[in-house]
Protein backbone atom coordinates (compact mmCIF):
# COMPACT_ATOMS: atom_id res chain seq x y z
CA UNK A 1 0.00 0.00 0.00
CA UNK A 2 1.23 3.47 -0.77
CA UNK A 3 1.70 5.99 1.94
CA UNK A 4 -1.07 8.58 2.42
CA UNK A 5 -0.64 11.69 0.37
CA UNK A 6 0.10 14.70 2.58
CA UNK A 7 -2.00 17.78 2.04
CA UNK A 8 0.21 20.70 1.16
CA UNK A 9 -0.88 24.18 2.20
CA UNK A 10 0.33 27.21 0.32
CA UNK A 11 2.56 29.45 2.41
CA UNK A 12 0.60 32.29 3.98
CA UNK A 13 -2.81 30.71 3.31
CA UNK A 14 -3.71 30.60 7.01
CA UNK A 15 -2.50 34.18 7.45
CA UNK A 16 -4.69 35.36 4.58
CA UNK A 17 -7.72 33.47 5.90
CA UNK A 18 -7.18 34.88 9.39
CA UNK A 19 -6.85 38.40 8.04
CA UNK A 20 -10.03 38.04 6.01
CA UNK A 21 -11.93 36.78 9.06
CA UNK A 22 -10.66 39.71 11.14
CA UNK A 23 -11.74 42.20 8.46
CA UNK A 24 -15.12 40.53 8.30
CA UNK A 25 -15.62 40.89 12.05
CA UNK A 26 -14.46 44.52 11.96
CA UNK A 27 -16.87 45.30 9.09
CA UNK A 28 -19.72 43.64 11.00
CA UNK A 29 -18.93 45.67 14.13
CA UNK A 30 -18.85 48.91 12.12
CA UNK A 31 -22.15 48.07 10.45
CA UNK A 32 -23.71 47.37 13.84
CA UNK A 33 -22.51 50.72 15.21
CA UNK A 34 -23.82 52.57 12.13
CA UNK A 35 -27.20 50.89 12.47
CA UNK A 36 -27.43 51.76 16.17
CA UNK A 37 -26.47 55.40 15.53
CA UNK A 38 -29.02 55.74 12.72
CA UNK A 39 -31.70 54.03 14.80
CA UNK A 40 -31.12 56.30 17.77
CA UNK A 41 -31.57 59.40 15.61
CA UNK A 42 -34.67 57.94 13.96
CA UNK A 43 -36.23 56.93 17.29
CA UNK A 44 -35.62 60.39 18.75
CA UNK A 45 -37.36 62.05 15.80
CA UNK A 46 -40.06 59.53 14.86
CA UNK A 47 -40.46 57.30 17.90
CA UNK A 48 -40.29 53.52 18.16
CA UNK A 49 -42.26 53.07 14.92
CA UNK A 50 -39.57 54.74 12.79
CA UNK A 51 -39.07 53.09 9.42
CA UNK A 52 -36.51 50.27 9.56
CA UNK A 53 -35.93 50.67 5.81
CA UNK A 54 -35.01 54.32 6.38
CA UNK A 55 -32.74 53.38 9.27
CA UNK A 56 -30.90 50.92 7.02
CA UNK A 57 -30.54 53.57 4.29
CA UNK A 58 -29.23 56.14 6.76
CA UNK A 59 -26.74 53.61 8.13
CA UNK A 60 -25.57 52.82 4.60
CA UNK A 61 -26.39 49.12 4.85
CA UNK A 62 -28.90 46.82 3.21
CA UNK A 63 -32.04 45.62 4.91
CA UNK A 64 -30.60 42.12 5.13
CA UNK A 65 -27.62 43.44 7.10
CA UNK A 66 -29.91 45.26 9.53
CA UNK A 67 -32.02 42.15 10.12
CA UNK A 68 -28.93 39.99 10.48
CA UNK A 69 -27.86 42.12 13.45
CA UNK A 70 -31.37 42.85 14.77
CA UNK A 71 -33.99 40.27 13.74
CA UNK A 72 -36.94 42.46 14.77
CA UNK A 73 -37.80 45.96 15.93
CA UNK A 74 -37.72 45.09 19.61
CA UNK A 75 -34.18 43.73 19.24
CA UNK A 76 -33.13 47.03 17.66
CA UNK A 77 -34.80 49.07 20.41
CA UNK A 78 -33.02 46.95 23.02
CA UNK A 79 -29.73 47.42 21.20
CA UNK A 80 -30.13 51.19 21.08
CA UNK A 81 -31.04 51.51 24.76
CA UNK A 82 -28.17 49.27 25.83
CA UNK A 83 -25.66 51.15 23.64
CA UNK A 84 -26.84 54.52 24.96
CA UNK A 85 -26.66 53.38 28.58
CA UNK A 86 -23.19 51.90 28.09
CA UNK A 87 -21.93 55.13 26.49
CA UNK A 88 -23.28 57.18 29.39
CA UNK A 89 -21.55 54.83 31.85
CA UNK A 90 -18.30 55.15 29.92
CA UNK A 91 -18.51 58.94 29.98
CA UNK A 92 -19.16 58.86 33.73
CA UNK A 93 -16.09 56.67 34.25
CA UNK A 94 -13.99 58.98 32.09
CA UNK A 95 -15.16 62.00 34.07
CA UNK A 96 -14.15 60.30 37.33
CA UNK A 97 -10.70 59.24 36.14
CA UNK A 98 -9.72 62.12 33.86
CA UNK A 99 -11.06 65.24 35.59
CA UNK A 100 -9.34 66.21 38.85
CA UNK A 101 -11.81 68.92 39.83
CA UNK A 102 -14.90 67.19 41.31
CA UNK A 103 -17.38 69.82 40.11
CA UNK A 104 -15.94 69.87 36.59
CA UNK A 105 -16.11 66.07 36.54
CA UNK A 106 -19.83 66.19 37.35
CA UNK A 107 -20.38 68.99 34.85
CA UNK A 108 -18.56 67.06 32.12
CA UNK A 109 -20.66 63.98 32.77
CA UNK A 110 -23.97 65.84 32.75
CA UNK A 111 -23.23 67.44 29.39
CA UNK A 112 -22.10 64.09 27.95
CA UNK A 113 -25.21 62.31 29.21
CA UNK A 114 -27.51 64.98 27.81
CA UNK A 115 -25.97 64.46 24.37
CA UNK A 116 -27.54 61.00 24.34
CA UNK A 117 -31.01 62.59 24.58
CA UNK A 118 -32.35 59.98 26.97
CA UNK A 119 -35.31 62.21 27.80
CA UNK A 120 -36.50 61.93 24.21
CA UNK A 121 -35.67 58.24 23.84
CA UNK A 122 -36.99 56.69 27.04
CA UNK A 123 -40.68 57.74 26.80
CA UNK A 124 -40.83 56.68 23.15
CA UNK A 125 -39.17 53.31 23.63
CA UNK A 126 -40.24 52.33 27.15
CA UNK A 127 -42.98 50.01 25.92
CA UNK A 128 -40.60 48.17 23.60
CA UNK A 129 -37.96 46.89 26.01
CA UNK A 130 -37.81 45.33 29.45
CA UNK A 131 -35.81 47.53 31.86
CA UNK A 132 -35.40 44.54 34.21
CA UNK A 133 -33.67 42.46 31.52
CA UNK A 134 -30.25 41.51 32.99
CA UNK A 135 -28.13 43.33 30.41
CA UNK A 136 -30.17 46.55 30.66
CA UNK A 137 -30.36 46.32 34.45
CA UNK A 138 -26.59 45.87 34.82
CA UNK A 139 -25.86 48.85 32.56
CA UNK A 140 -28.37 51.05 34.38
CA UNK A 141 -26.95 50.16 37.79
CA UNK A 142 -23.47 50.97 36.53
CA UNK A 143 -24.64 54.43 35.43
CA UNK A 144 -26.39 55.04 38.74
CA UNK A 145 -23.38 53.93 40.79
CA UNK A 146 -20.95 56.11 38.84
CA UNK A 147 -23.33 59.08 38.98
CA UNK A 148 -23.58 58.71 42.73
CA UNK A 149 -19.81 58.60 43.01
CA UNK A 150 -19.50 61.81 40.97
CA UNK A 151 -22.07 63.59 43.15
CA UNK A 152 -20.66 62.40 46.48
CA UNK A 153 -17.13 63.37 45.50
CA UNK A 154 -18.23 66.87 44.58
CA UNK A 155 -20.28 67.15 47.80
CA UNK A 156 -17.31 66.06 49.93
CA UNK A 157 -15.23 68.74 48.23
CA UNK A 158 -17.84 71.33 49.20
CA UNK A 159 -18.56 72.18 45.56
CA UNK A 160 -22.07 70.74 45.20
CA UNK A 161 -24.98 71.49 47.50
CA UNK A 162 -25.71 68.74 50.03
CA UNK A 163 -29.51 68.77 49.73
CA UNK A 164 -29.59 66.82 46.45
CA UNK A 165 -29.32 63.10 45.72
CA UNK A 166 -28.71 60.89 42.71
CA UNK A 167 -32.40 60.82 41.83
CA UNK A 168 -32.44 64.61 41.43
CA UNK A 169 -29.70 64.42 38.80
CA UNK A 170 -31.20 61.41 36.99
CA UNK A 171 -34.61 63.12 36.73
CA UNK A 172 -32.98 66.32 35.46
CA UNK A 173 -31.05 64.45 32.77
CA UNK A 174 -34.33 63.13 31.43
CA UNK A 175 -36.30 66.36 31.73
CA UNK A 176 -33.64 68.52 30.11
CA UNK A 177 -33.75 66.48 26.90
CA UNK A 178 -37.49 65.82 26.72
CA UNK A 179 -39.18 67.72 23.86
CA UNK A 180 -42.06 70.04 24.67
CA UNK A 181 -45.45 69.08 23.22
CA UNK A 182 -45.59 70.25 19.62
CA UNK A 183 -41.90 71.18 19.56
CA UNK A 184 -39.53 69.02 17.53
CA UNK A 185 -36.22 67.80 18.92
CA UNK A 186 -34.33 69.83 16.35
CA UNK A 187 -35.73 73.09 17.70
CA UNK A 188 -35.10 72.07 21.30
CA UNK A 189 -31.46 71.15 20.71
CA UNK A 190 -30.50 74.75 20.03
CA UNK A 191 -31.22 75.57 23.68
CA UNK A 192 -30.24 72.37 25.50
CA UNK A 193 -26.68 73.42 26.42
CA UNK A 194 -28.01 76.72 27.74
CA UNK A 195 -30.57 74.99 29.95
CA UNK A 196 -28.07 72.38 31.14
CA UNK A 197 -25.70 75.13 32.23
CA UNK A 198 -28.51 76.82 34.15
CA UNK A 199 -29.19 73.53 35.93
CA UNK A 200 -25.50 72.92 36.71
CA UNK A 201 -25.15 76.41 38.17
CA UNK A 202 -28.01 75.51 40.51
CA UNK A 203 -26.03 72.52 41.83
CA UNK A 204 -23.14 74.64 43.08
CA UNK A 205 -22.43 75.12 46.74
CA UNK A 206 -23.15 77.16 48.68
CA UNK A 207 -26.84 76.82 47.87
CA UNK A 208 -28.54 80.13 47.17
CA UNK A 209 -32.01 78.91 48.12
CA UNK A 210 -33.71 76.19 50.10
CA UNK A 211 -35.20 73.45 47.95
CA UNK A 212 -38.79 72.42 48.66
CA UNK A 213 -39.43 68.84 49.73
CA UNK A 214 -36.54 66.42 50.10
CA UNK A 215 -33.81 64.98 47.89
CA UNK A 216 -34.96 62.39 45.34
CA UNK A 217 -33.42 58.98 45.90
CA UNK A 218 -33.23 56.17 43.38
CA UNK A 219 -35.30 54.00 45.70
CA UNK A 220 -38.17 56.50 45.60
CA UNK A 221 -38.02 56.73 41.81
CA UNK A 222 -38.41 52.96 41.55
CA UNK A 223 -41.30 52.62 44.01
CA UNK A 224 -43.91 52.37 41.25
CA UNK A 225 -42.02 49.64 39.35
Amino acid sequence: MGSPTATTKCPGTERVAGGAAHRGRADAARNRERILAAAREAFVIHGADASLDEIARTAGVGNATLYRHFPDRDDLVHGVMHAVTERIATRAQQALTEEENPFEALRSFVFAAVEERIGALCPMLSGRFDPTEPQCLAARKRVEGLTEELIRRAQRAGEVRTDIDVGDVMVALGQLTRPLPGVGCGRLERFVERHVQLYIDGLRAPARSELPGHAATLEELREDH
Side-chain angles (χ1 to χ4, degrees):
M1 293 180 62
S3 59
T5 302
T7 302
T8 303
K9 293 185 179 179
C10 296
T13 300
E14 292 182 357
R15 262 198 321 275
V16 171
H22 176 75
R23 286 193 298 275
R25 288 192 296 271
D27 287 344
R30 281 193 293 270
N31 285 340
R32 180 183 175 85
E33 290 305 310
R34 285 199 290 264
I35 292 167
L36 288 172
R40 189 195 70 160
E41 293 302 311
F43 290 154
V44 165
I45 297 170
H46 302 295
D49 294 325
S51 167
L52 299 187
D53 291 348
E54 187 59 36
I55 289 171
R57 278 194 292 273
T58 302
V61 302
N63 285 10
T65 299
L66 186 150
Y67 285 110
R68 189 159 54 247
H69 286 282
F70 305 100
D72 59 36
R73 185 179 297 273
D74 287 350
D75 284 330
L76 182 56
V77 168
H78 178 274
V80 167
M81 292 305 298
H82 181 66
V84 165
T85 308
E86 282 294 334
R87 278 197 300 272
I88 292 173
T90 297
R91 297 300 291 270
Q93 187 63 63
Q94 288 174 339
L96 278 168
T97 57
E98 297 175 9
E99 181 57 66
E100 292 184 6
N101 181 282
F103 187 85
E104 287 305 312
L106 180 60
R107 179 184 180 279
S108 171
F109 163 68
V110 169
F111 270 99
V114 163
E115 287 178 7
E116 296 293 342
R117 292 179 287 185
I118 54 175
L121 276 174
C122 288
M124 293 179 180
L125 305 184
S126 59
R128 289 270 186 182
F129 77 101
D130 180 6
T132 64
E133 187 273 332
Q135 191 181 38
C136 286
L137 189 60
R140 191 189 76 197
K141 286 186 175 181
R142 184 174 171 230
V143 168
E144 292 171 351
L146 291 167
T147 304
E148 181 170 18
E149 191 173 349
L150 283 162
I151 293 169
R152 299 291 179 248
R153 190 173 74 153
Q155 287 175 328
R156 288 193 299 269
E159 296 192 22
V160 164
R161 56 194 302 161
T162 58
D163 56 350
I164 67 158
D165 210 326
V166 186
D168 292 303
V169 174
M170 301 305 287
V171 168
L173 290 177
Q175 296 296 330
L176 288 166
T177 54
R178 187 186 297 254
L180 297 172
V183 178
C185 288
R187 293 182 180 180
L188 177 69
E189 283 181 2
R190 292 179 294 170
F191 306 105
V192 167
E193 287 191 6
R194 177 184 178 88
H195 298 158
V196 173
Q197 187 60 56
L198 280 170
Y199 170 70
I200 289 173
D201 285 347
L203 295 178
R204 280 192 180 275
R208 301 199 172 205
S209 62
E210 183 176 342
L211 294 175
H214 60 274
T217 65
L218 292 173
E219 291 71 24
E220 281 183 298
L221 296 181
R222 296 196 194 107
E223 280 180 358
D224 294 333
H225 297 282

